[in-house]
Amino acid sequence: MRRTLYGPDHEAFRESAREFVNRNIMPVADKLIEQRFIDREIWLEAGRNGFLGLEVPEAYGGSEAGDYRFNAVLAEELSRASAAVSSSFGIHADVVAPYLVQLTTDEQKQRWLPKFCTGELLTAIGMTEPSGGSDLAALKTMAVKDGDDWIINGSKTFITNGYNADLVIVAARTSPEKKSKGITLFAVETGMAGFERGRKLDKVGQHESDTAELFFENVRVPSANIIGEIDRGFIHMMEMLPQERVGAAVSNIAHAAPILEETIQYAKERKAFGQPIGSLQWNKFLLADLVTRVEVTQAFVDNCVAAHASGELTAVDAAKAKWWTAQVQNEVLDHCVQLHGGYGFMTEYRAARAWMDARVTKIWAGSNEIMKELIGRDLGL
């Protein structure tokens, strides 16, 4: 079914994004997996092509596209190549960007955004902690006022871009007695004394992205590095999460769709019992099911993207899109591995790598169980 979400400008942008992927990502795919991070030169090239500042005002070096559909196009093209590369770029340009654009002062914008757009300043966001994942209100990292500065102590884990980030937005508790209403966001920068990174975490999949533990031991952060309002960090995060979740939904389905296409082609060529395996009735019916599932899911995600672009996407609909696409993505890719047989378990096949990469999508950006809890509450249950 023809998609109606995008216009000529979006498709022209897609061609640029696809060319960037084909020139800068695909030729070094194995290298990125082995080294477990994206080379800074790739980030700089993305900056030169205008892919990092889609939400940033022109005055600070961005393109100020003013249309979330451009973000979605970029996520789709990156996801077709690599879920991990899409995740890393998404954290920087799609998740962190709104914080730095909407919640910062003019001085902070001037200080950070120009290099954010060029790729010279790589960013991450530090929410998740070792003691709790999706329960952001229970975080334990503390920030205590000391004159005009704040002293941060604590740790974060599973932080995408965490190993190489130059600036990390860190959620810390500033008024413990206020619980969720006592959290503040701080920009912690490379070189601040007491800010240390652990090892690059050894993940099941998504090897191209550097994911790390972060440690804060008496890190002195000036008040000039506060993002947004003091004690309103939890509210700021809740306001930003719908974009993160619809972005995850876009990437999830865009990641699964091309692997399914490749699997269909494989089913036409691979023979068993004297005929292509795709012509066997079970496989034929299965592929019909998977194609339908992907296209129906795509239609819902497109509606969510359109709603977000017009400022109408609700947190509940974003939660629906996030959990459903993660579920469909994992089901589709599991069947793709099965259809490849033993080859599907070999990492030189994209189906195997995609299968490993996808499993985390049911966990991050709020686990699927948390998404269902949000939807259930909205039903009055």
Side-chain angles (χ1 to χ4, degrees):
M1 182 175 291
R2 185 176 68 87
R3 298 171 71 188
T4 59
L5 176 64
Y6 301 118
D9 289 345
H10 303 107
E11 295 304 338
F13 179 73
R14 184 186 302 280
E15 290 302 315
S16 297
R18 185 167 296 179
E19 182 178 357
F20 167 79
V21 169
N22 289 338
R23 285 187 176 183
N24 298 279
I25 306 298
M26 299 305 291
V28 296
D30 291 341
K31 175 193 172 187
L32 300 184
I33 290 171
E34 183 177 353
Q35 69 186 23
R36 302 193 179 220
F37 68 91
I38 299 169
D39 295 289
R40 185 58 64 106
E41 181 53 39
I42 294 176
W43 287 101
L44 295 173
E45 183 63 21
R48 286 190 284 268
N49 281 273
F51 296 139
L52 304 181
L54 293 173
E55 297 202 4
V56 177
E58 293 181 5
Y60 302 105
S63 57
E64 199 170 1
D67 183 347
Y68 184 77
R69 289 175 292 180
F70 287 103
N71 297 44
V73 167
L74 180 61
E76 288 179 358
E77 292 306 312
L78 291 169
S79 297
R80 289 183 68 87
S82 163
V85 172
S86 180
S87 169
S88 292
F89 273 79
I91 288 294
H92 178 81
D94 197 52
V95 175
V96 172
Y99 288 89
L100 297 186
V101 171
Q102 298 177 29
L103 300 178
T104 51
T105 64
D106 289 341
E107 185 276 331
Q108 289 173 328
K109 289 182 175 68
Q110 191 61 55
R111 183 156 39 117
W112 295 321
L113 288 178
K115 290 186 177 180
F116 176 94
C117 294
T118 62
E120 297 171 87
L121 182 80
L122 179 60
T123 61
I125 187 162
M127 296 183 186
T128 305
E129 297 189 348
S131 60
S134 297
D135 188 5
L136 297 179
L139 61 84
K140 295 181 179 179
T141 297
M142 297 289 296
V144 178
K145 193 82 161 62
D146 183 36
D148 290 332
D149 301 331
W150 294 79
I151 308 299
I152 298 179
N153 282 280
S155 64
K156 303 290 180 179
T157 193
F158 311 138
I159 307 304
T160 301
N161 295 344
Y163 197 80
N164 288 304
D166 304 296
L167 181 151
V168 182
I169 297 178
V170 175
R173 193 170 297 283
T174 44
S175 298
E177 72 282 1
K178 295 182 181 179
K179 298 183 179 179
S180 66
K181 295 181 179 179
I183 294 170
T184 302
L185 304 177
F186 296 87
V188 177
E189 300 177 76
T190 295
M192 289 183 168
F195 173 34
E196 302 291 341
R197 303 158 209 263
R199 59 191 172 86
K200 283 181 282 188
L201 297 175
D202 187 13
K203 300 170 293 183
V204 170
Q206 301 247 358
H207 293 140
E208 301 95 312
S209 64
D210 64 284
T211 306
E213 299 168 306
L214 306 179
F215 301 100
F216 311 94
E217 184 176 356
N218 295 323
V219 180
R220 181 173 293 273
V221 179
S223 293
N225 277 33
I226 291 175
I227 304 292
E229 298 180 42
I230 294 175
D231 288 345
R232 285 182 58 84
F234 184 78
I235 294 172
H236 292 323
M237 289 187 289
M238 292 304 100
E239 291 171 342
M240 300 299 182
L241 276 173
Q243 176 154 316
E244 180 177 355
R245 287 170 180 162
V246 74
V250 169
S251 296
N252 291 347
I253 200 66
H255 178 233
I259 305 302
L260 179 56
E261 293 169 6
E262 293 170 17
T263 301
I264 292 171
Q265 186 60 39
Y266 180 85
K268 292 177 180 179
E269 298 170 356
R270 176 72 169 175
K271 290 186 177 181
F273 307 106
Q275 60 184 313
I277 63 171
S279 66
L280 299 171
Q281 187 180 68
W282 166 257
N283 291 337
K284 184 188 299 182
F285 283 11
L286 172 61
L287 289 167
D289 177 286
L290 299 181
V291 166
T292 303
R293 216 178 302 186
V294 166
E295 291 188 8
V296 170
T297 301
Q298 186 68 71
F300 180 69
V301 171
D302 284 359
N303 276 344
C304 288
V305 171
H308 188 54
S310 61
E312 299 173 353
L313 181 68
T314 66
V316 171
D317 282 342
K320 293 173 185 174
K322 187 274 171 184
W323 91 259
W324 179 255
T325 56
Q327 186 69 28
V328 168
Q329 175 192 28
N330 276 269
E331 290 173 353
V332 167
L333 293 173
D334 190 68
H335 284 301
C336 288
V337 167
Q338 189 73 17
L339 285 163
H340 275 80
Y343 293 107
F345 205 61
M346 301 296 110
T347 54
E348 64 260 34
Y349 277 76
R350 272 169 46 91
R353 297 198 300 270
W355 177 64
M356 293 189 296
D357 290 346
R359 184 57 183 85
V360 73
T361 67
K362 295 197 285 185
I363 299 172
W364 67 13
S367 70
N368 281 10
E369 291 76 14
I370 294 294
M371 298 301 97
K372 293 176 185 178
E373 175 69 19
L374 296 175
I375 298 163
R377 288 179 191 174
D378 187 63
L379 297 175
L381 301 172

